[in-house]
Amino acid sequence: TSGGLPKSNTTWSAAMTFCAEMEAVESVGRATDWGSSIWSAGDVCAALLGTNATNGNADENGDATDANNDNYNAGGALLAQGEITVFDTRSGESSFSFPPKGGIGAVVKAATASSSSSSFREFRVGEVIVPKDMRGMETQINYLEQQFIYPGIDYRIMTMTDGEGNEIFSTESLSDPRQKKQALLALRPCGWKLQTQLWKNYGMNTDWPVQISAGAISDVVTTRFNTDSAIPRIVSAFRRDWKTYTLALAVALTPIPASLLARNFVSFYVIPSASMEPTLLKGDVLLVEKFPRVYERTTYGDVVLFKPPPTLRDIVTSNGSQLSS
């Protein structure tokens, strides 16, 4: 499966800003390598083991065969050949400069990029964009959804071309505003799991990437670093897999009701002295419930903990003793 365009079953195309590890921020397209999203892990393992990811058997040429066949390849290999096109070279970029450049500078630039109808948002290959629902943009959102571009889902710009099909690295290289809007972005969801969910849940019957013009998406996208992407991403996550995320949310929130319950309805106490022996020994730990209507539930032989009234405290202290709080 191809990364960007043109589509191909045997090649992978993508673009990134290669930089030092300290300046790498993959959400804005800055990386030290291509990452793990080039091939599906299942396909890689199948190639290395000489099996087919679908039916379990393949020969070294990729043709299905029986494991008992003499031509069956018990161990395979993955051959990858690469070709790199250098669009530009930059130097002197550092996150520690002022104003910051490098990774931090790219994050700031992405977070402050415009996504309103009054101005055009610039795009760069490798960066991750997040479509969002916007009032008054229903027609545009509906069009994007027909192309399997949904609000709240992270898409990476794999490749980009101008209106005439020439490869470009950024819309900033185009001077004419009309050319900027005509630039074509090859979008792909971030991660194989997300791509599979879109195939399964939304009925997509074509392969990625999806090609969208910059003008069609400029007004309704943001970045991971903008706070206005949080709600669309959360809503989208629950729509795709509400069971998993509901369980995760419940587990995350469990300490809150547990702490409230412990504070208001149960408490732990340690016996500090031998005054209650032999019923309670020094050092014993008591789990005390503090639910309402305790007087109605108390029976003969129960051990009751109570807060001493002022009169009892006065009697005890006047005899040279003291009560614990």
Side-chain angles (χ1 to χ4, degrees):
T1 177
S2 58
L5 293 175
K7 289 186 176 181
S8 170
N9 292 328
T10 58
T11 62
W12 175 272
S13 55
M16 285 280 183
T17 298
F18 282 94
C19 59
E21 185 175 359
M22 182 178 294
E23 301 294 343
V25 184
E26 63 92 16
S27 292
V28 290
R30 300 176 63 90
T32 56
D33 56 39
W34 294 116
S36 60
S37 60
I38 298 180
W39 288 292
S40 168
D43 293 339
V44 173
C45 292
L48 295 177
L49 295 175
T51 59
N52 185 279
T54 303
N55 57 29
N57 296 318
D59 63 18
E60 58 186 354
N61 295 317
D63 299 324
T65 184
D66 186 79
N68 296 321
N69 192 301
D70 294 337
N71 294 325
Y72 176 72
N73 184 22
L78 195 63
L79 176 64
Q81 295 178 335
E83 180 179 324
I84 296 179
T85 299
V86 179
F87 287 92
D88 190 15
T89 57
R90 306 190 301 270
S91 61
E93 294 187 353
S94 173
S95 297
F96 301 99
S97 61
F98 185 83
K101 298 180 181 180
I104 293 180
V107 170
V108 172
K109 185 176 181 179
T112 56
S114 173
S115 60
S116 63
S117 58
S118 60
S119 59
F120 178 82
R121 184 197 188 280
E122 302 286 356
F123 296 98
R124 174 175 292 185
V125 290
E127 72 169 318
V128 177
I129 57 177
V130 184
K132 58 180 181 178
D133 282 316
M134 295 182 64
R135 184 174 298 178
M137 296 289 183
E138 289 80 8
T139 302
Q140 199 165 347
I141 294 297
N142 290 337
Y143 167 74
L144 293 175
E145 289 182 347
Q146 293 175 6
Q147 312 303 315
F148 299 96
I149 306 298
Y150 295 94
I153 292 181
D154 296 359
Y155 294 90
R156 188 180 300 280
I157 304 176
M158 305 301 298
T159 56
M160 187 187 310
T161 60
D162 60 17
E164 298 179 354
N166 301 311
E167 293 181 341
I168 58 176
F169 192 79
S170 170
T171 54
E172 293 177 333
S173 63
L174 304 174
S175 56
D176 189 338
R178 290 182 299 176
Q179 291 181 334
K180 291 178 180 287
K181 293 183 178 181
Q182 292 172 356
L184 298 177
L185 315 180
L187 303 181
R188 189 183 188 96
C190 295
W192 284 95
K193 180 179 180 181
L194 183 55
Q195 295 169 35
T196 303
Q197 287 177 337
L198 291 180
W199 276 320
K200 179 180 179 181
N201 298 341
Y202 295 93
M204 183 177 183
N205 54 13
T206 59
D207 194 11
W208 302 102
V210 171
Q211 193 174 49
I212 298 292
S213 67
I217 203 171
S218 172
D219 299 339
V220 293
V221 296
T222 183
T223 177
R224 286 173 172 175
F225 300 103
N226 268 346
T227 55
D228 55 359
S229 69
I231 294 179
R233 295 178 74 191
I234 293 173
V235 172
S236 174
F238 275 89
R239 285 177 177 174
R240 296 194 311 271
D241 193 354
W242 67 269
K243 293 182 179 179
T244 300
Y245 286 100
T246 300
L247 178 61
L249 182 62
V251 172
L253 295 179
T254 296
I256 298 178
S259 62
L260 293 175
L261 177 66
R263 179 176 180 180
N264 295 293
F265 298 104
V266 294
S267 294
F268 285 96
Y269 291 93
V270 177
I271 303 301
S273 65
S275 60
M276 289 289 291
E277 290 183 356
T279 304
L280 299 174
L281 304 179
K282 182 179 179 180
D284 282 353
V285 179
L286 306 183
L287 177 61
V288 180
E289 58 97 344
K290 299 185 290 185
F291 290 95
R293 309 175 72 88
V294 62
Y295 296 109
E296 299 178 7
R297 295 182 287 103
T298 304
T299 60
Y300 181 80
D302 289 344
V303 177
V304 179
L305 277 72
F306 63 93
K307 184 176 181 179
T311 304
L312 179 57
R313 285 185 176 275
D314 294 339
I315 295 175
V316 173
T317 54
S318 64
N319 287 277
S321 299
Q322 61 179 7
L323 293 174
S324 60
S325 56

